[in-house]
Amino acid sequence: MIDILMPRLSDTMTEGAIAAWHKQPGDSVSPGDVLVEIETDKALMEQEAYDAGVLVEILVAEGENVAIGTPIARLDDGHDEVSPAPPATGVTPAPVPAPAPAPAPAPAPAPADIAPERRTATPLVRRLARERGVDLRDVSGTGPGGRIVRADLEAAGAPAVRAQTDAPSAATPDAREPRGVPFDAVRQAIASRLTTSATTVPSFTATASADVGELLSLRAQINDASAGTPTKISVNDLMVRATAIALRQHPEINASYSPEGRGQTLLHSRVHIGIAVASPVGLVVPVVRDADRAAVSTVAAATRELIAKAGDRTLTTAEMSDGTFTISNLGMFGIEHFTAIINPPQGAILAVGGVRHELALVDGEVASRSRLRVTLTADHRIIDGAAAARFLSTLVALLENPMRIVV
């Protein structure tokens, strides 16, 4: 018999939730078969079987959340030894006198017969029940041993409100009428990582503004010349490429903090740009690798593919790992300027606003200019203000001379 354990599917994963079982007890399993979908702190991922056998028991039902290393199912691979049958006399030989064997325990009651006040449920289910006003004593459990799982709450239909026989609560009702939305694994990871970043990383911000009129014109020319092709170049694609080139020129920004020894700066030899993407389950950061060496069209194609996967929740751990710097762009939402929180262990993140048309004095005359603001948030333990200023100066120069980005 083989215990199937909750795997570690990412470097930051500490627990996972069962999204869906693809095999049921009694099903034959072959190596490579998809057993289960697991929701991690980063994505929804499929877990394949490594051994052949028959799935005999599911220990963690759909919707339940357990720590890594916890048994979630059992697979019979046919290698277990069968215990010898006891002697017909019923006497078990022993080298020393032993007390008479205790009477066999009574068989466990069927799930439907479990006393209401002793119904078992996971902490997640109990929390959901409280938030929905469901009385677990009115719900029949279908999990192992009659345990109530999330699907049982859904099957119960409209939330059941327990009759109040006690005195009315003295608590004042919340006039805001809030509705709780429980964190899933991704949102929990986001909350934990950003809390850690905001409370443990001493950071500072610096903002610069670039005239991107020529950049927008060049983008239009590239897209006109490639009409009919599936990939169009966006301002963000040009921003990724420009940032990667600037990071290559300023390796002290393409860095991470390490607490080893008395603390040290890890200077990364490769430039892997993370792109903050708003997915259906929350913020994810897929990575465009070696963005400084890739053509803009390659960056655009890679970005489209990663964003599509983020929307489908099919990003792999590898596609979200090894980032050395992150770009967060809210310009498409009309945001002019904002600051972003560093994505640890990276040393910096760039917040990109939208393009705004502003009046400027050019050669003594008023003219309209298209300007874009970028804000760098940096870990002050490894990046100084002067280094951040030099990096932003290089980035602005690239954005204002866009031919240097595409050649």
Side-chain angles (χ1 to χ4, degrees):
M1 197 76 68
I2 297 175
D3 278 346
I4 300 172
L5 309 180
M6 174 63 72
R8 180 189 292 274
L9 299 175
S10 73
D11 53 356
T12 58
M13 177 181 174
T14 59
E15 57 185 17
I18 303 298
W21 282 101
H22 286 249
K23 296 288 186 179
Q24 297 299 321
D27 290 351
S28 296
V29 176
S30 299
D33 287 353
V34 176
L35 278 177
V36 61
E37 290 183 15
I38 297 174
E39 184 181 9
T40 74
D41 58 343
K42 291 185 175 180
L44 188 67
M45 309 185 72
E46 294 179 341
Q47 177 68 12
E48 297 180 351
Y50 297 103
D51 302 281
V54 176
L55 189 67
V56 296
E57 187 178 7
I58 290 177
L59 303 176
V60 180
E62 294 180 1
E64 295 192 30
N65 200 64
V66 295
I68 58 173
T70 301
I72 59 176
R74 289 197 175 98
L75 183 73
D76 185 356
D77 60 352
H79 292 165
D80 283 357
E81 296 182 359
V82 179
S83 301
T89 58
V91 178
T92 303
V96 295
D113 296 332
I114 296 178
E117 62 275 9
R118 299 184 62 185
R119 288 275 167 81
T120 58
T122 64
L124 173 63
V125 169
R126 293 187 182 279
R127 184 180 65 192
L128 291 176
R130 287 195 301 269
E131 292 167 350
R132 300 178 185 180
V134 175
D135 188 346
L136 291 180
R137 296 183 299 179
D138 299 329
V139 179
S140 296
T142 60
R147 181 169 49 185
I148 299 173
V149 298
R150 182 186 291 185
D152 297 328
L153 294 182
E154 305 297 337
V161 181
R162 181 179 175 182
Q164 296 293 327
T165 57
D166 300 329
S169 172
T172 302
D174 193 331
R176 301 171 299 172
E177 299 182 359
R179 178 177 61 88
V181 179
F183 280 5
D184 57 15
V186 175
R187 178 55 61 182
Q188 183 181 27
I190 292 171
S192 175
R193 289 173 62 82
L194 295 187
T195 298
T196 299
S197 176
T199 57
T200 64
V201 178
S203 62
F204 70 94
T205 61
T207 300
S209 173
D211 182 341
V212 293
E214 292 188 22
L215 182 82
L216 297 179
S217 297
L218 179 61
R219 170 179 172 261
Q221 294 174 26
I222 294 174
N223 288 336
D224 288 343
S226 59
T229 60
T231 302
K232 296 292 185 180
I233 304 300
S234 70
V235 171
N236 196 66
D237 298 328
L238 294 167
M239 179 64 68
V240 170
R241 170 72 172 154
T243 300
I245 296 172
L247 288 171
R248 177 59 65 192
Q249 296 181 32
H250 299 275
E252 67 275 15
I253 308 299
N254 191 49
S256 299
Y257 168 80
S258 171
E260 292 291 330
R262 293 180 294 180
Q264 58 180 309
T265 302
L266 302 179
L267 299 176
H268 303 300
S269 300
R270 298 171 67 179
V271 180
H272 298 332
I273 303 292
I275 302 173
V277 177
S279 76
V281 295
L283 186 69
V284 294
V285 187
V287 176
V288 178
R289 297 174 179 274
D290 297 314
D292 60 320
R293 304 175 186 174
V296 173
S297 58
T298 302
V299 170
T303 300
R304 299 301 178 279
E305 181 181 359
L306 292 171
I307 291 175
K309 287 187 174 183
D312 297 337
R313 300 187 66 185
T314 56
L315 285 169
T316 66
T317 301
E319 290 169 328
M320 294 185 286
S321 300
D322 304 324
T324 61
F325 186 93
T326 295
I327 293 176
S328 180
N329 191 339
L330 294 180
M332 66 286 293
F333 298 107
I335 301 301
E336 177 184 357
H337 165 264
F338 71 104
T339 58
I341 298 176
I342 295 173
N343 182 23
Q346 297 170 19
I349 185 171
L350 188 72
V352 181
V355 177
R356 290 179 59 87
H357 298 289
E358 301 178 358
L359 296 179
L361 193 63
V362 180
D363 296 331
E365 297 185 2
V366 176
S368 176
R369 289 290 183 264
S370 298
R371 302 202 69 85
L372 179 148
R373 287 172 174 77
V374 291
T375 299
L376 182 75
T377 302
D379 185 340
H380 216 334
R381 293 173 297 184
I382 59 173
I383 298 173
D384 294 330
R390 288 192 293 267
F391 166 78
L392 288 175
S393 178
T394 298
L395 179 59
V396 167
L398 288 167
L399 295 175
E400 294 183 345
N401 298 275
M403 287 302 298
R404 295 168 55 189
I405 300 175
V406 298
V407 297

